[in-house]
Amino acid sequence: MSDYIRVCDVEKYYGSGSHVTKAVDRVSFQVEKGEFVGVMGASGSGKTTLLNLLATIDQVTAGHIYYGDTDITELSENALSEFRKKYLGFVFQEYNLLDTLTIEENILLALTLQGGRKKEIDEACGQILGLLGIADIREKFPYQVSGGQKQRCACGRAMVNRPRLLLADEPTGALDSHSSQTLLETFTDLNRSMEATILMVTHDAFSASYCGRILFLKDGKIFHELVRGPKDRKVFLQEILDVLSLTGGELTVQPAAEL
Amino acid sequence: MLAKLAYRNMKRSARDYLVYIFTMTVVTALMYAFGSLIFENTLPRYAETAGILEMMTGLATFFIVLIVAWLINYMVRFMLEKRSSEFGIYLLLGMKKKEISRLYMRENLLLGGTAFLFGLALGILLRQVLMAVLFAMMRMEYRLGVSFHPGTLLTTVLCYAGCYLLALLRCRRKFRKMNIHDLMNAKRRNEEIRERGEGIKRLLLPLSVLFIFAFWTVFAVLDNTGEIVLFLVGLVLTIYLFYVGVSAWVICYVRKKGNAVYKGQNLFLLRQFASKVRTMQFTMGTLTALFTIALLGASVALMFSDYENTVLEDKFPFDVQLYSPEVQEDFADEMAVLQEQTKVLEARRYHIYTDQSNQVNAWMLTHLRVWGTMFRKEDGTPDREKIEAELKNGGAYCASDTYMGLSDYNALRAMLGYSAAALGSDEYLIQVKSRLAGEVQGMAQDLRITDRWGEGTLSCAGICADAFSQDGHNGGDYVIVVPDEVLGRMQLYYSELAADIDGTVPADLGERMNKTGQNPDRLGVYAEAELRPNECYGSDMIIAYAEDILVRDNLIPAAKYMLASVIIPLFYIGLVFVCVAVTVLSVQQLSDSAKYKFRYDILAKLGLERVQIHRLIRRQLAAYYLCPAVLGIVISGKMILFMSGRFVEATGVPVSPLSFFIKSILLFFGIYLVYYVVTYISFIRNVDER
């Protein structure tokens, strides 16, 4: 399906008068259904701002963002809440799990907020716990499990309602290399098995190599785009590193031993 | 630099702990205003009651200082915990522990000092209000005037500073023991939720409920100290264990995935509630105890204040009334004083008679609710021995029954502005206190009063319950009114004089008449010697006022003064306890709203609308606020209902016992509501802040 998500001439300015910072500067791109898109860029390149705009957490200064036929820049605050609940899932670097709830309950809450019958909720929850391999720690509290497990729980919570788009902001940022790899494989699985559309912001080339397409951001503008196509992941990683070397090598690369 | 840092930190703390500062200001104001009652009591003194108000206020202040010390200690430690990672950074930067602890002390002294100064200003104002209320209660004019007594100030400062220093010294010890790692991790530590043995802990909830139920059923029949102490210990345990049970029960419910878990935000609410109650279980228990005491205090205060407003006026219907045990007494000396000091409109000297039997007294002792089954044997028949002993030594009733002639009765009624009573030659009338009117309905069937020829018996013409000074003057509780001719068969018992005075009387009229020498204070005599057979006080239990010389205009203010010395300290305690309790709740919630703001951010990201989040917060706050209050109400409820039932029975206040309970609950929910709304607004502000 084409035109699944369309970002048209989006701008976001901060500050006023002579101190205006252009965080996002006339950015346009499209995301197809079932795509796994990465956004890369150095610190301050505007990638998180872009993600926040897509996530409806922040408002654009100018431009439009269409999800299908819906222009989210035109929606009221309450309509946006409803939209978030129905169509979006989030995974953040700092997990953002509720500390008073167990792993299972964190996922359950996302379902109960949507409403639904007990049996359906339990089924959906059990399914996603199994899919992400965290069923055995379902009764543990976030502080009792590892970072990787927390992040998988966050993924579970984001995916359990089958959102139109999964937004991930540096999801591997706080994870060790092994957990990162597991998580990225989880993303790939979700992308394939559930046809989840994923938009991931990262400054890590290794993480980005799992994506199908990568947008490179610099000073708020898209300056390059890479498509993986049928290429092997290692080849794709090399391509990413080549692009990064052009930008001055500000971005991080996982040690070669782990590739 | 340190002073600057301390000042900045204080400014920040003040914003974070506004509710606490507000309460400390109010507490200081209350301490000052009530303290002034001890040191600058400008109310007129009454010989018998001198020092009571001071003593009672002092006692209340003692309890209040204890609880305020707890609040300050709690808050100082709470703030320390909240800011431990900040202190860890100071240590990391090379500050010495001593310097940091000094910085923290300085901050707190600044904070406390500010609240104290505001409180003092408010206190001086509040003192005026309090004195004006007291003077109005005693129907005296009060002139506004700002006064400043060093004693009051010194006590307030000492109480306040003592509490603060104690708390800070304890903190200093804590500082000395801490290391950087502990400080940096102190915050993280209390976030861990431990769930172990919830299935067993859950049983504490039904057990607590069972105990409270038992408490409600058994409380009224507890009759020895051992049982009462045992029950109180059980109650204290119940209060604390209840919260362990509640949180365990909620946790088990969530784990078992009860149906409510699947509805909307319930899962979040239930978990929040369980974890908060778990981490605060001891504090919640203490708050419940505070509410219980506050409600008890306020209810008792309301009982006495109701008494003062409704019954007191009826207690002394005559302007002046005199008693003498001597039947020949002509009250000449007293009349001389009266005529010299006042304008006597009418004065009547009369006698109370007796037929030397005690059938009415025995009937009263065996039938009135106040006496219960005290004077009955196990089979229900009157216990003559006990009745005899009571009539000889008890003092509620005279040794023999008391009678009055119809002409005297009607003359006295006329003096009070009542219509005259009519009796046939073979009739009698029962004149009782109004609270007993309902209880003596069956009396006439059991009485046999012989007529003037000693042949037939009189029949009862009715019961009259107008206020008639029946605390030992016109009989104790009752007097039987008979036609004058019947008195011929009876003996003179004691002498009385009632007078109607025009205008007001001098404040020391009673004292002047007492100095005539023939009427020593009856209570004094009671303490020293045996009770005279023709002396009695009636069955009023909680508030009894018996004196040979009753001067209404002197006695009502004195009685009000005495009542005030009960009412005021109790309200004082109630007010401070409730404020302290809700402050702890509010500060806890507000600091949570800042610390756990992320929880609400996550909910927003999960798609909860702002309105929904606000509603969620309202529900969450309501649950925290209601939990200790409801338990406090349930526990104090039984005690209050029991006490007020007895109070109404013993004093004849014309209201339902339930009314005191409801009124004190309303009073406290008023204060509660203020704190709830303020907390809610600040909570929302914290959460909505970007």
Side-chain angles (χ1 to χ4, degrees), chain A residues 57 77 81 84-85 90 92 96 98-102 104-105 112-113 118 122 139 141 143 157, chain B residues 192-193 195 254-255 257 259 262 264-265 267 271 275 599 602 604-610 690:
Chain A
I57 294 172
E77 200 185 328
S81 295
R84 267 204 297 278
K85 193 155 72 182
F90 300 92
F92 294 94
N96 273 340
L98 287 165
D99 52 347
T100 48
L101 269 56
T102 61
E104 180 182 19
E105 287 160 9
T112 62
L113 289 180
K118 184 176 172 176
D122 276 339
E139 298 213 329
F141 284 97
Y143 80 92
R157 186 181 63 187
Chain B
E192 293 179 3
I193 301 152
E195 285 180 9
V254 172
R255 294 219 159 219
K257 301 220 182 77
N259 289 332
Y262 292 85
Q265 309 118 15
L267 176 60
R271 273 295 188 184
S275 84
R599 289 180 184 155
I602 295 173
K605 280 176 191 147
L606 288 177
L608 230 53
E609 288 165 27
R610 189 193 286 245
R690 290 243 163 185

Side-chain angles (χ1 to χ4, degrees), chain B residues 30-103:
Chain B
L30 287 173
M31 264 191 192
Y32 181 83
F34 284 95
S36 74
L37 286 181
I38 306 178
F39 292 98
E40 26 187 337
N41 187 355
T42 48
L43 288 162
R45 306 287 175 129
Y46 297 94
E48 303 111 87
T49 48
I52 287 192
L53 184 62
E54 285 87 340
M55 197 191 78
M56 297 292 278
T57 315
L59 202 68
T61 308
F62 171 73
F63 285 108
I64 280 161
V65 166
L66 281 186
I67 221 66
V68 170
W70 177 75
L71 174 72
I72 296 178
N73 189 32
Y74 182 89
M75 287 305 305
V76 167
R77 291 180 61 162
F78 181 71
M79 285 194 244
L80 178 66
E81 240 166 65
K82 291 257 156 251
R83 295 181 45 200
S84 43
S85 55
E86 176 193 326
F87 292 135
I89 291 169
Y90 291 156
L91 271 182
L92 217 56
L93 291 175
M95 256 165 100
K96 291 194 189 84
K97 271 186 201 172
K98 225 185 224 166
E99 284 174 319
I100 297 176
S101 106
R102 211 177 299 144
L103 173 78

Side-chain angles (χ1 to χ4, degrees), chain B residues 12 32 157 328 334 400 417 536 559:
Chain B
R12 191 189 52 187
Y32 181 83
V157 169
Q328 302 89 2
E334 286 86 353
S400 315
C536 61

